[in-house]
Amino acid sequence: MKRFVFSLFVTILAAMPLWAETLAEAVATHAAAIEKPSRQTIGPVIDALAATGDPMVASFLEAWGAKRLGQRKADKAFFLLAPDTAGFALTDLTGAAAGTATKGEISEMKPNAGVRGLISAALVQFTLSDPDLTRRVAAVASISAAPEASHLGPIRASIETETDPELKARKMRLERILTLQFDPDPAVRVAVIDGFQAETGLELRAALNPLLAVTRGAAVGAVPQDVNLARKLVPGRDLTKIEAYDLLVAAGQAPARLTAEEQRAALVANLKDGAVAGIALADLGTQGGRDRAYTALEDAGLVPMAATDDEADAALAAHVFFEAYAEPDKSITDAAARAMGAIETQVGLQQAVDLGLDALSLASIFFLAAIGLAITFGVMGVINMAHGEFIMMGAYTGYVVQLWITNYTLSLIVALPMAFAVTFAAGVAMERLVIRHLYKRPLETLLATFGISITLQQLAKNIFGTQARPLTAPAWLDGAWSVTDVIQVSYIRIAIFVLALVFLAFFLWLMKRTRLGLDVRAVTQNPSMAASMGINPDRINMLTFGLGSGIAGIAGVAIGLFAKVTSELGNDYIVQSFMTVVVGGVGNIWGTLAGAAMIGGLQKVIEWLNPSNTLAAQTYMILFIILFIQFRPRGIIALKGRAAGD
């Protein structure tokens, strides 16, 4: 019976958990180290505090690192401090309020910057597993911004207990980033790096770049065996001879180069009895003689050591120059180089896609600006130099609508038909008062519309002033669609692309499926025959010109969402609009679309080749268009039949 009772007692003791210290007991044990901490003694203190498992450990460390930890002089008890009218409000190590104390009753713990850094690093293991999701997210973001080797262990330990799926995925990716940077096992780092080759994230590139960082060095005869060589450098090809010799001087492998002024001053100072160091004055007329004299003075200890040109060349010939990786392990740098090469290939492809999307976006803008001109110039044959001002009028109409309707989405819905109505009416008035009297007289039409253009610009300046006016896009058009870190397209550009497609479909429906479109095509091909069939050419011309002007107004609202709205807004698009119509093929909507795509793509490619000078890019584009027209004067898609000969 006694044996049974003894066995049961032992079993119960074995099943009971070991007694653990509380935070207060651990702090009391290490009170001396907490009062006067150092970088050498704080590690065991933090380990002892963490081993307690007390939920107040994180708060204690935060207060200690923020200089909000104090010790009451009377009983040497530690408290968390908060400012109070009496001095300090006290919180004990269980988290309970402990009254107040004056500043004279408390000794404040003020660790130095090095100790605070270690405390901050130790806090990571607590905040990464904090019950508050917001604090865990902030901890991950903090580590991502400034990763350190000490973060690797805590981030690994926190992954298992993470309950939020999205944050867990971020932690797992961050753990891989930290592993490739700081894991002590090279094989593990290489495996992680190889697993990243298909990704192009900025944080991955930021982690790989330090592994491929190089420093320049020099050695006598051959590159040292313990150097992780990136490449050899040849003076005069990979670096200048001056840079190579400066590298030797900085490494203490050669004396500073002797300048002509220093040499002359030294020779003059040591000139005695018509000679310098036994070399006659007559022999100092050549550079070689002066070098020999200075070398003799060096041997005699009369001048500081310095390298002449011949000595510098000899030193360069005796040394080998190289770039060495800061990372000593070659397997890691090889893996990093492979990964970076794959990333650069992916980034290059993505940049090509991004350039294509930019070109498509710009082509949409040109098409939207030119579609109205395609009607007035392409169909009617009227050279309307005031087309840009109809775009400007549409943009200002949107601005005025936003003055009355503050809801940007609603104001945009109202502004689009309002801009069409305003510019349609302006176009009809212009056609009735001016254009109808100048048909078949292109030079007079050009001059008249140019005068109208100047008049409309000045009128806009008188009404709205010379400062740019805001045309604000709705909140849902803010930002950009980010496919990757490289491929990004603003939502405004996407909206303009969609609007361009809508107007393309509208124009095709109008011309192919409506009576007005049939009448326009009839008047375009043969006005006399159309008139004999009961069609009024004057009315059709008026409506066509108004339609083209109205579409220009809608284009102005769209363009004004991302461009500055001024009286000169139309000038930025009139040239491209005419080029779009002429290059694409006069009188053909598909030609206008092709012309917009060609000009938009060409301009983006030239800007990519010459990014620092957009004016030069536009100049090259115009020259290319001139050459293109020489070989294809009727454009990409030329009209066929009787209309082509008019």
Side-chain angles (χ1 to χ4, degrees):
M1 184 66 178
K2 290 182 179 179
R3 288 183 179 180
F4 174 76
V5 173
F6 177 76
S7 300
L8 180 62
F9 178 71
V10 171
T11 303
I12 294 173
L13 283 178
M16 291 177 63
L18 295 176
W19 182 262
E21 278 188 311
T22 64
L23 174 60
E25 291 171 338
V27 168
T29 302
H30 298 277
I34 295 174
E35 292 174 21
K36 296 182 179 180
S38 68
R39 294 178 64 90
Q40 290 72 33
T41 61
I42 191 175
V45 175
I46 293 176
D47 291 341
L49 298 181
T52 65
D54 195 305
M56 279 294 293
V57 172
S59 299
F60 180 87
L61 291 176
E62 286 180 356
W64 192 10
K67 301 181 181 180
R68 292 186 292 102
L69 182 67
Q71 187 180 37
R72 192 158 56 194
K73 297 177 182 178
D75 56 4
K76 301 299 182 181
F78 285 90
F79 297 93
L80 280 61
L81 308 178
D84 186 79
T85 54
F88 295 112
L90 307 181
T91 302
D92 65 21
L93 300 187
T94 66
T100 61
T102 64
K103 291 187 177 182
E105 295 175 309
I106 298 295
S107 295
E108 297 179 64
M109 304 293 105
K110 296 183 178 180
N112 60 35
V115 172
R116 292 200 304 274
L118 294 175
I119 293 173
S120 177
L123 272 170
V124 171
Q125 61 183 300
F126 297 101
T127 52
L128 284 173
S129 301
D130 194 281
D132 187 352
L133 176 62
T134 305
R135 297 192 66 187
R136 299 202 304 275
V137 171
V140 171
S142 177
I143 295 174
S144 300
E148 297 178 4
S150 60
H151 295 152
L152 181 56
I155 197 72
R156 283 175 173 171
S158 70
I159 292 175
E160 182 94 19
T161 57
E162 181 55 57
T163 56
D164 185 80
E166 183 178 352
L167 185 57
K168 186 172 185 177
R170 289 179 59 187
K171 284 185 176 182
M172 293 174 67
R173 177 177 174 79
L174 180 58
E175 186 271 337
R176 295 172 67 200
I177 295 289
L178 295 176
T179 297
L180 74 85
Q181 290 180 289
F182 305 117
D183 194 283
D185 187 348
V188 173
R189 296 174 70 184
V190 170
V192 171
I193 292 172
D194 288 339
F196 266 124
Q197 287 190 18
E199 299 191 26
T200 60
L202 291 176
E203 58 182 0
L204 173 59
R205 281 177 270 173
L208 289 174
N209 282 328
L211 300 181
L212 298 175
V214 295
T215 56
R216 287 181 173 180
V220 178
V223 178
Q225 293 294 324
D226 59 345
V227 168
N228 187 3
L229 181 66
R231 62 168 182 153
K232 290 186 177 181
L233 303 174
V234 178
R237 186 187 69 187
D238 301 314
L239 72 169
T240 66
K241 290 186 176 182
I242 294 177
E243 290 174 335
Y245 194 80
D246 289 343
L247 191 62
L248 295 179
V249 174
Q253 298 175 346
R257 185 184 290 271
L258 179 66
T259 66
E261 293 78 7
E262 292 171 341
Q263 186 183 56
R264 181 179 182 278
L267 296 179
V268 170
N270 290 276
L271 179 63
K272 293 181 181 179
D273 300 326
V276 176
I279 298 176
L281 187 61
D283 295 332
L284 300 179
T286 64
Q287 185 61 46
R290 292 191 290 272
D291 289 347
R292 288 194 303 275
Y294 193 89
T295 301
L297 293 174
E298 286 179 333
D299 294 339
L302 299 175
V303 293
M305 296 294 293
T308 62
D309 290 341
D310 291 340
E311 291 171 338
D313 291 339
L316 292 178
H319 287 80
V320 60
F321 298 87
F322 56 88
E323 285 183 345
Y325 290 113
E327 168 59 50
D329 194 302
K330 189 175 186 303
S331 64
I332 293 175
T333 53
D334 287 346
R338 290 194 303 270
M340 191 60 76
I343 288 173
E344 289 176 353
T345 301
Q346 290 289 330
V347 169
L349 293 174
Q350 291 181 15
Q351 286 177 337
V353 173
D354 187 62
L355 183 65
L357 291 175
D358 281 347
L360 184 62
S361 173
L362 187 62
S364 301
I365 295 170
F366 287 163
F367 177 74
L368 202 57
I371 189 171
L373 193 64
I375 298 174
T376 57
F377 177 56
V379 176
M380 300 176 61
V382 175
I383 303 176
N384 181 16
M385 295 299 295
H387 179 77
E389 278 53 57
F390 288 115
I391 295 176
M392 176 264 292
M393 290 171 62
Y396 272 122
T397 301
Y399 164 69
V400 172
V401 169
Q402 285 195 344
L403 293 179
W404 293 92
I405 303 176
T406 56
N407 184 295
Y408 294 139
T409 300
L410 181 59
S411 67
L412 183 61
I413 295 174
V414 174
L416 289 173
M418 184 68 71
F420 179 86
V422 170
T423 51
F424 178 88
V428 169
M430 182 175 168
E431 196 278 336
R432 290 288 86 183
L433 297 175
V434 179
I435 302 300
R436 66 177 300 189
H437 303 293
L438 301 175
Y439 285 128
K440 304 298 183 182
R441 296 159 63 184
L443 180 59
E444 288 88 338
T445 304
L446 187 150
L447 293 174
T449 54
F450 183 70
I452 294 173
S453 169
I454 297 175
T455 302
L456 291 175
Q457 285 188 35
Q458 189 58 50
L459 187 61
K461 289 179 181 178
N462 293 340
I463 297 174
F464 298 103
T466 57
Q467 292 184 341
R469 300 295 178 177
L471 182 55
T472 307
W476 51 272
L477 286 179
D478 290 341
W481 175 43
S482 298
V483 182
T484 66
D485 292 331
V486 178
I487 303 176
Q488 297 182 347
V489 185
S490 68
Y491 291 127
I492 291 180
R493 296 295 184 97
I494 296 175
I496 290 176
F497 174 74
V498 173
L499 190 62
L501 292 180
V502 169
F503 270 100
L504 174 63
F506 169 75
F507 185 86
L508 293 174
W509 171 80
L510 180 70
M511 299 300 290
K512 302 291 186 180
R513 301 293 182 182
T514 66
R515 177 58 186 267
L516 177 61
L518 179 64
D519 292 348
V520 169
R521 284 185 288 147
V523 172
T524 300
Q525 294 181 13
N526 195 322
S528 301
M529 183 62 71
S532 67
M533 297 296 293
I535 300 173
N536 186 345
D538 286 342
R539 177 177 174 275
I540 295 301
N541 286 336
M542 178 189 69
L543 293 177
T544 303
F545 198 90
L547 178 63
S549 302
I551 294 176
I554 293 180
V557 175
I559 293 172
L561 292 175
F562 67 89
K564 58 182 181 180
V565 180
T566 66
S567 58
E568 287 83 17
L569 174 64
N571 291 341
D572 297 334
Y573 296 94
I574 185 65
V575 175
Q576 285 90 343
S577 297
F578 270 107
M579 286 195 300
T580 298
V581 175
V582 173
V583 169
V586 175
N588 191 309
I589 188 62
W590 294 111
T592 303
L593 182 63
M598 176 179 174
I599 293 175
L602 182 62
Q603 181 165 326
K604 280 299 176 182
V605 169
I606 296 175
E607 287 179 0
W608 179 72
L609 295 174
N610 189 17
S612 61
N613 194 338
T614 55
L615 181 60
Q618 293 182 0
T619 303
Y620 295 145
M621 182 184 68
I622 292 174
L623 291 176
F624 180 86
I625 297 302
I626 292 173
L627 292 174
F628 177 83
I629 293 176
Q630 297 299 314
F631 293 97
R632 197 170 181 85
R634 291 191 177 183
I636 299 174
I637 303 177
L639 280 178
K640 297 180 180 180
R642 185 179 301 173
D646 291 341

